[in-house]
Amino acid sequence: MNGFVGFVISNIKEVMIKYGFQYLETPSFEYTESIGKFLPDKDRPGEGVFSFKDESKWISLRYDLTAPLARFVAKNFNEIPKPFKRYQLGTVWRNEKPGPGRYREFLQFDADYVGTKNLQADAELCVLISEILEKCGLDKADYTVKISSRKITSKLFEKIKINSKEQISTTLRALDKVDRLGWSEVTKLLGKGRKDKSGDYTKGANLNNDQIEIIEKALNSKNADSEDLIEIIKIFDAYNFKNYKFDPTVIRGLEYYTGPIFEVNLNFDVKNLKGQTIQFGSIGGGGRYDNLVSNFGNLDFPATGISIGLDRLVFALMQKKDFKLKALRPVIICVFDKNNTKKYVEILNKLRSSNIRSEIYSGEGNLKKQMEYANKIASPCVIFYGDDEIKKAEVKLRNLKTGDESSIKIENLVNEIKKLI
C-alpha cells in the first residue's frame, strides 16, 4: 500500500510542477464556521467534522484543504500572484461512517486556481487530473470526468421555492449521494429521512413529493445548457480533451461551490475486502467557489479547485490486474565491517547518482538481522560487499524476489540493478 501511495504522490508532484503550481502547507485546524459543511447537533456544531470548543469558538480538524487555503489567501492577499496556483498533499478528517477506501482520516491531494474567473482554469484542472490518472496506470476507458454546475441547482431551488440555508444544505448533501445510494434511497433523504442497514438514522430535507418529482426530472436532463458549462466544453475541445460527460446528478455536497463542478469516476469494478463488487463512487472532484475567500475579509477573489482522495485512488489502483508498479523501496548495502564505510559510501553514491533508491544498513545487527530488515521493507535486492568482493572490484547481488545471487563488476552494477527494479 505504501509503495502505491509513494508512486501516486511522485506522479502528482511531477504533473503539478509541469503545470506551474506551487506547493503550500496549511494548518490542520480551522474554525468550524469556515469549513462549509456542518449541522447543529445539540451543543456540538459539527456533523461530519471532529470538533472541540476553544473558549467561545468551535474549532474542527480540517474537513478538506480548501477552507484553510481561503484563509491563507485572505491573509496574504497583497503578496501572492493573481491568479495564485497552489497544490497540496495533506491529511483531512471526516466524522463519517467508513467504507471500502473511505476512511475517517485520509490523505488528500488538492490543486487550486485562486484569483481568476477565467474558466480555462476550471477546464485545465480536469485535464491535469486526467494526466495524473494516466501516469498512474489508468487508460482513458478506466475513468470519466463528469461535469455539471451549481447554477443548475440554484435555478432548481428557486423553482421549487426553497431558500432556507439549512434545507438547501441538507438537499445538496442528499443529492450528492445519488451515485452511491441510488435514487430511491436519496428520495428518503430528500423527504423525512433515512435509516441505513446498521440502523443509523439521517434526518431528511423535508421536501414534499412535488418538489422531489421536479428535482428528479431536472437530474434526468441530458442538455448542458448552463453558460459556464458551454464555455468549458469549448475549452475542452481546444485541449482535445474528450474524456468527460455532462451529468446533472453531480452535485458536490459542500455548500461553497458557486459554478462548474466536476467529479472523477472509475469505470471498472472495485471489490471490498470480502471480494464483493461494490458501488465505489467518485475518487475525487471539485469545482468553482467564488465566494469562499470573501468569508475571511471583504475580498473579491474567485477560485476553483479539484481534489483526489489518495487512499481511495490507491485502493482502486491496487485492484487493476494490468497495473504494474516498479519497486519503490531501496536497495540495501549490507555492512560487513564498519572500517569499510568509505567503500560502502562509494557504492551508495554510484547508485543514488543514477536515481536508484538505496541505503547503507544503518542498524547494529549481524547479517541475519540485515536480511530480515531488507525483507520486511520489501527491498528488491541486497548488495554484499565484503573484503573478498572489494579486492575483486565486484559485489554479490541477491535478488530478494527470486533468491538468485550473482557476482557483478562494480562498473556493471547500475545496469544490473535497473533490470531488477
Side-chain angles (χ1 to χ4, degrees), residues 362-378:
S362 55
E364 298 179 351
N366 57 22
L367 184 59
K368 181 181 178 181
K369 292 290 185 183
Q370 295 183 51
M371 293 301 296
E372 287 177 358
Y373 170 76
N375 282 309
K376 281 187 177 180
I377 69 165

Side-chain angles (χ1 to χ4, degrees), residues 364-420:
E364 298 179 351
N366 57 22
L367 184 59
K368 181 181 178 181
K369 292 290 185 183
Q370 295 183 51
M371 293 301 296
E372 287 177 358
Y373 170 76
N375 282 309
K376 281 187 177 180
I377 69 165
S379 172
C381 57
V382 295
I383 292 172
F384 301 136
Y385 196 39
D387 290 336
D388 290 343
E389 287 78 23
I390 291 172
K391 289 176 184 177
K392 296 176 183 178
E394 64 183 26
V395 304
K396 280 193 172 65
L397 184 66
R398 180 179 294 181
N399 183 332
L400 292 182
K401 294 178 184 176
T402 64
D404 294 340
E405 188 173 301
S406 55
S407 296
I408 308 294
K409 288 292 184 183
I410 297 295
E411 61 266 27
N412 298 327
L413 180 59
V414 167
N415 289 334
E416 291 300 318
I417 290 178
K418 284 184 174 180
K419 292 178 184 177
L420 298 180

Side-chain angles (χ1 to χ4, degrees), residues 99-112:
R102 188 184 296 274
Y103 310 104
R104 289 190 174 101
E105 176 182 349
F106 60 94
L107 188 62
Q108 186 164 299
F109 154 69
D110 271 32
D112 296 83

Side-chain angles (χ1 to χ4, degrees), residues 18-235:
K18 174 181 172 182
Y19 278 66
F21 284 74
Q22 324 178 23
Y23 189 77
L24 174 70
E25 283 284 351
T26 55
S28 298
F29 284 98
E30 186 55 73
Y31 288 118
T32 305
E33 65 186 15
S34 304
I35 285 178
K37 174 185 177 177
F38 67 90
L39 284 174
D41 181 13
K42 295 182 179 178
D43 294 326
R44 177 176 174 271
E47 182 176 302
V49 294
F50 293 99
S51 307
F52 66 90
K53 200 167 188 178
D54 179 33
E55 296 179 353
S56 61
K57 286 200 170 185
W58 280 90
I59 295 176
S60 299
L61 282 167
R62 62 190 181 200
Y63 182 91
D64 63 11
L65 300 175
T66 309
L69 169 66
R71 180 181 293 282
F72 172 87
V73 168
K75 184 178 180 180
N76 298 278
F77 180 81
N78 293 322
E79 287 75 32
I80 61 175
K82 301 166 183 67
F84 177 54
K85 296 169 64 176
R86 155 277 204 178
Y87 82 100
Q88 183 174 355
L89 293 151
T91 304
V92 297
W93 294 264
R94 299 192 176 182
N95 191 0
E96 299 173 344
K97 183 173 293 188
R102 188 184 296 274
Y103 310 104
R104 289 190 174 101
E105 176 182 349
F106 60 94
L107 188 62
Q108 186 164 299
F109 154 69
D110 271 32
D112 296 83
Y113 284 83
V114 189
T116 179
K117 292 183 178 180
N118 191 333
L119 293 180
Q120 182 179 332
D122 304 68
E124 187 158 279
L125 288 173
C126 298
V127 174
L128 73 84
I129 280 295
S130 299
E131 184 167 339
I132 288 170
L133 294 178
E134 290 175 28
K135 284 182 72 67
C136 288
L138 297 184
D139 297 323
K140 284 182 169 56
D142 292 327
Y143 70 94
T144 302
V145 178
K146 294 183 177 181
I147 63 170
S148 188
S149 175
R150 272 295 175 80
K151 295 184 184 300
I152 294 173
T153 49
S154 294
K155 290 180 181 178
L156 180 59
F157 293 155
E158 288 179 12
K159 184 175 182 180
I160 63 175
K161 298 179 180 179
I162 62 170
N163 51 30
S164 159
K165 185 177 180 181
E166 180 179 341
Q167 196 173 29
I168 288 173
S169 298
T170 307
T171 302
L172 287 171
R173 282 196 294 279
L175 294 176
D176 193 39
K177 295 179 173 65
V178 169
D179 199 39
R180 181 160 56 91
L181 298 179
W183 179 251
S184 62
E185 293 300 307
V186 167
T187 56
K188 298 175 184 178
L189 292 172
L190 292 173
K192 298 298 182 182
R194 173 181 179 267
K195 183 182 290 188
D196 66 17
K197 292 179 180 179
S198 71
D200 288 346
Y201 181 78
T202 302
K203 184 181 176 183
N206 287 314
L207 302 183
N208 61 44
N209 291 336
D210 290 341
Q211 290 172 313
I212 294 173
E213 187 177 329
I214 291 171
I215 291 175
E216 182 179 14
K217 184 177 179 180
L219 296 188
N220 287 325
S221 172
K222 303 298 181 184
N223 299 317
D225 55 1
S226 180
E227 287 184 16
D228 50 359
L229 294 183
I230 292 170
E231 178 66 21
I232 284 178
I233 290 171
K234 287 180 181 178
I235 300 170

Side-chain angles (χ1 to χ4, degrees), residues 280-300:
F280 196 67
S282 70
I283 55 170
R288 179 157 286 276
Y289 52 99
D290 285 344
N291 302 324
L292 186 59
V293 176
S294 64
N295 289 342
F296 301 96
N298 187 22
L299 302 169
D300 180 18

